[in-house]
Amino acid sequence: MRIIMLGAPGAGKGTQAKKIAGKYNIPHISTGDIFRANIKNGTELGKKAKTYMDQGLLVPDELTCDLVVDRIQQEDAQNGYVLDGFPRTIPQAECLTAALEKLGSKIDYAIDVDVPDSNIVNRMSGRRACLKCGATYHIVYAAPAKEGVCDTCGEALVLRDDDKPETVQKRLNVYHDQTQPLIDYYTKAGVLKSVDGTKDLEEVFQAIVSILGE
Ligand code: ADP
Ligand code: ADP
Ligand code: ZN
């Protein structure tokens, strides 16, 4: 099963992508996590990506598409994957479609997690991230067992720099300008499915499972 997660920053794509990956036994591929890991490790890619991410802007398409096309050809992705945070622009979607065509493959589902902007700032200010293992929490809706500590790996949780309210508004504008057009793109491709992302996270997951099948 080859799945794309669409939705605004903070809509719950990552949360649901991890649950999908667990249930269907496919890798969760998050471009945001890949960039953050590169920043943490001080790589060239990380240095380039950071200047854009800190400003709430998208990393240029050329730096992003090759990375993903390479990742989806690895051994663990042969039976499918869930892409989270990619594609984010029409050129990225076109790049992915072309690469998949060459590989004789295609996207089966593009799941749009629909959440209005008015809910997003609240979600983001409560989000806490583990930069070591990529786990995500919310101080109210998905709290870790011990405050400020990752359940999975014990690392200290942080509020991402780009989750501060002034950057979140900018990211929402970028989303509406550059990413929302993908809803049309994947509707035309016949694979778009929408779920109401304002619901409780288990309810959102149930809606997704009823689309993907048990
Ligand atoms: P969120 O899950 O809140 O939407 P991400 O972790 O997906 O955030 O992305 C964080 C930042 O990483 C984005 O604001 C952007 O700067 C960069 N980024 C992630 N994925 C992409 C992509 N596909 N294209 C360009 N930039 C990206
Ligand atoms: P995205 O990957 O789309 O940026 P996340 O999955 O990181 O979004 O979710 C953003 C924040 O909202 C996180 O703190 C997460 O724990 C929380 N969250 C995710 N889904 C829900 C939900 N259905 N209800 C309430 N909070 C949620
Ligand atoms: Zn962790």
Side-chain angles (χ1 to χ4, degrees):
M1 206 147 36
R2 295 173 177 82
I3 303 166
I4 287 173
M5 302 303 290
L6 295 175
K13 301 179 298 296
T15 301
Q16 298 300 329
K18 289 189 185 91
K19 291 169 78 69
I20 294 169
K23 181 173 171 72
Y24 298 97
N25 200 21
I26 50 179
H28 166 217
I29 302 176
S30 156
T31 41
D33 286 351
I34 295 172
F35 289 137
R36 280 184 291 277
N38 275 275
I39 292 172
K40 198 164 187 248
N41 296 328
T43 70
E44 276 311 305
L45 174 66
K47 280 176 199 151
K48 282 185 193 149
K50 188 176 189 325
T51 58
Y52 298 96
M53 290 170 76
D54 283 351
Q55 298 178 68
L57 300 174
L58 296 182
V59 176
D61 292 334
E62 313 80 78
L63 290 180
T64 312
C65 193
D66 290 352
L67 191 86
V68 175
V69 170
D70 189 64
R71 178 67 188 85
I72 60 176
Q73 292 183 70
Q74 287 171 23
E75 189 61 38
D76 65 333
Q78 295 313 304
N79 288 324
Y81 42 78
V82 50
L83 291 180
D84 164 20
F86 180 92
R88 250 182 163 94
T89 65
I90 293 283
Q92 288 180 16
E94 287 170 343
C95 162
L96 177 65
T97 303
L100 289 176
E101 257 167 33
K102 267 194 206 150
L103 296 168
S105 166
K106 65 171 185 51
I107 294 301
D108 300 305
Y109 300 96
I111 299 174
D112 177 38
V113 184
D114 189 22
V115 175
D117 287 10
S118 51
N119 294 26
I120 294 289
V121 177
N122 176 33
R123 288 241 183 132
M124 299 299 235
S125 59
R127 171 156 68 180
R128 294 293 179 274
C130 174
L131 298 183
K132 190 169 175 196
C133 77
T136 302
Y137 302 87
H138 190 283
I139 53 174
V140 179
Y141 310 119
K146 182 163 180 251
E147 195 186 319
V149 180
C150 181
D151 288 348
T152 339
C153 74
E155 184 91 348
L157 301 176
V158 298
L159 171 67
R160 278 165 43 183
D161 281 339
D162 61 343
D163 279 354
K164 297 185 174 142
E166 52 285 13
T167 315
V168 169
Q169 190 51 55
K170 214 158 147 195
R171 290 166 65 202
L172 277 171
N173 297 341
V174 168
Y175 167 75
H176 291 299
D177 278 358
Q178 302 195 58
T179 309
Q180 214 169 18
L182 295 180
I183 293 180
D184 239 29
Y185 182 95
Y186 286 105
T187 300
K188 288 189 183 122
V191 295
L192 190 91
K193 303 282 176 189
S194 245
V195 295
D196 178 355
T198 63
K199 299 267 169 58
D200 169 83
L201 57 91
E202 285 305 330
E203 280 179 76
V204 179
F205 187 56
Q206 280 320 309
I208 293 175
V209 169
S210 59
I211 292 165
L212 303 180
E214 274 301 336

